[in-house]
């Protein structure tokens, strides 16, 4: 399965499907990179889920932020890491006590926004999983793993899919309330000046659970973040 091109068009990323099995793929597969000119593929990530929003290139195209971890449950064993494609060096940014995913680079390449909640282990679903995913908040961290900071705090919502404005001053993100209604919110990149910009998405995700806690938000909204002004 093609995961995309590198920004410099030199590599193609792909996910191999284990034994041609969609069930095995649902629990994770490796992320590979192969030169567009041909050659041997290089393994960048041992195991990750093949979901939209689980990998993101840095604006300069030199680093890849990924959601690492096996198991189809997004509420468990998921960590944010940064990988350097040419060397294959992978560095974890979040610890194993949180389930973190959906990394998004700031335009200046210095910070990564992401979603995180306490890791509740491999529960199958039900009320325990619902309570765990309800704790998801938007966080931001420096590219070297320092200055980790929680930006959203409202217990009435579950927060997901952060996206940066072109100038890095704001972050747009999706929210689910306790009744499963989805809305879009905008805040400054330090978490201040929080404003609801779309009252309710319609159609909305069918349920809080999505696919083991994963909702493909890119199928519900698209945001043009504005033009990046350069001197």
């Amino acid at each position: 399965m093609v995961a995309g091109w590198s920004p410099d068009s030199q590599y193609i990323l792909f996910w191999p499907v284990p034994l041609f099995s969609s069930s095995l793929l649902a629990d994770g597969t490796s992320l590979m990179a192969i030169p567009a000119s041909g050659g041997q593929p290089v393994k960048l990530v041992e195991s990750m889920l093949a979901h939209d929003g689980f990998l993101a290139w840095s604006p300069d195209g030199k680093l890849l932020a990924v959601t690492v971890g096996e198991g189809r449950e997004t509420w468990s064993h998921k960590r944010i890491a940064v990988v350097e494609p040419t060397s294959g060096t992978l560095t974890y940014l979040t610890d194993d006590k949180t389930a973190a995913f959906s990394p998004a680079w700031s335009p200046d390449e210095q910070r990564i926004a992401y979603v995180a909640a306490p890791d509740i282990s491999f529960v199958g679903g039900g009320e325990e999983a619902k309570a765990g995913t309800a704790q998801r908040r938007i966080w931001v961290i420096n590219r070297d793993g320092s200055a980790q900071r929680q930006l959203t705090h409202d217990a009435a919502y579950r927060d997901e899919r952060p996206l940066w404005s072109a100038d890095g001053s704001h972050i747009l993100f999706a929210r689910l309330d306790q009744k499963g209604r989805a809305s879009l919110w905008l805040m400054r990149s330090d978490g201040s000046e929080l404003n609801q910009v779309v009252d309710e998405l319609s159609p909305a995700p069918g349920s809080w659970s999505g696919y083991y806690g994963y909702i493909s938000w890119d199928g519900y909204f698209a945001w043009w973040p504005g033009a990046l002004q350069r001197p």
Side-chain angles (χ1 to χ4, degrees):
M1 294 173 56
V2 175
W5 287 83
S6 63
D8 61 6
S9 301
Q10 297 302 304
Y11 292 90
I12 300 170
L13 303 184
F14 69 94
W15 293 296
V17 181
L19 301 177
F20 302 98
S21 168
S22 59
S23 180
L24 292 176
L25 177 65
D27 282 319
T29 185
S30 54
L31 177 66
M32 310 291 292
I34 190 169
S37 59
Q40 292 298 313
V42 176
K43 183 183 294 185
L44 301 181
V45 176
E46 184 66 34
S47 184
M48 67 174 297
L49 300 184
H51 287 327
D52 292 337
F54 272 40
L55 56 85
W57 284 98
S58 61
D60 64 4
K62 295 180 179 180
L63 295 172
L64 187 65
V66 292
T67 303
V68 180
E70 62 184 2
R72 64 190 66 186
E73 301 89 349
T74 56
W75 49 74
S76 179
H77 291 76
K78 303 295 177 287
R79 298 174 67 181
I80 302 296
V82 170
V83 61
E84 204 284 313
T86 57
S87 67
T89 302
L90 185 142
T91 303
Y92 285 104
L93 301 187
T94 61
D95 60 33
D96 58 5
K97 295 181 175 60
T98 60
F101 61 95
S102 196
W105 288 90
S106 63
D108 65 2
E109 304 161 1
Q110 298 306 304
R111 294 170 292 169
I112 297 173
Y114 61 97
V115 177
D119 190 311
I120 59 172
S121 192
F122 288 124
V123 301
E127 290 303 313
E128 189 175 358
K130 184 176 182 179
T133 58
Q135 299 180 70
R136 288 177 178 172
R137 305 289 179 260
I138 305 300
W139 290 69
V140 69
I141 194 170
N142 287 348
R143 61 186 288 171
D144 62 0
S146 64
Q148 186 179 36
R149 182 182 179 190
Q150 182 177 340
L151 298 184
T152 60
H153 302 269
D154 195 333
Y157 296 97
R158 159 181 158 185
D159 303 330
E160 298 192 356
R161 195 57 173 125
L163 297 170
W164 294 81
S165 63
D167 63 1
S169 64
H170 289 78
I171 295 174
L172 181 78
F173 63 99
R175 278 186 150 173
L176 282 176
D177 66 16
Q178 296 175 354
K179 294 183 179 180
R181 292 176 299 205
S183 55
L184 297 180
W185 295 68
L186 188 70
M187 63 182 171
R188 296 196 66 84
S189 59
D190 61 1
S192 64
E193 298 181 21
L194 183 64
N195 291 291
Q196 187 173 359
V197 293
V198 175
D199 291 341
E200 187 171 355
L201 291 176
S202 180
S207 70
W208 68 268
S209 59
Y211 185 75
Y212 290 90
Y214 169 73
I215 294 173
S216 181
W217 289 106
D218 293 354
Y220 294 96
F221 72 94
W223 185 43
W224 180 66
L228 179 60
Q229 299 297 320
R230 296 188 183 274

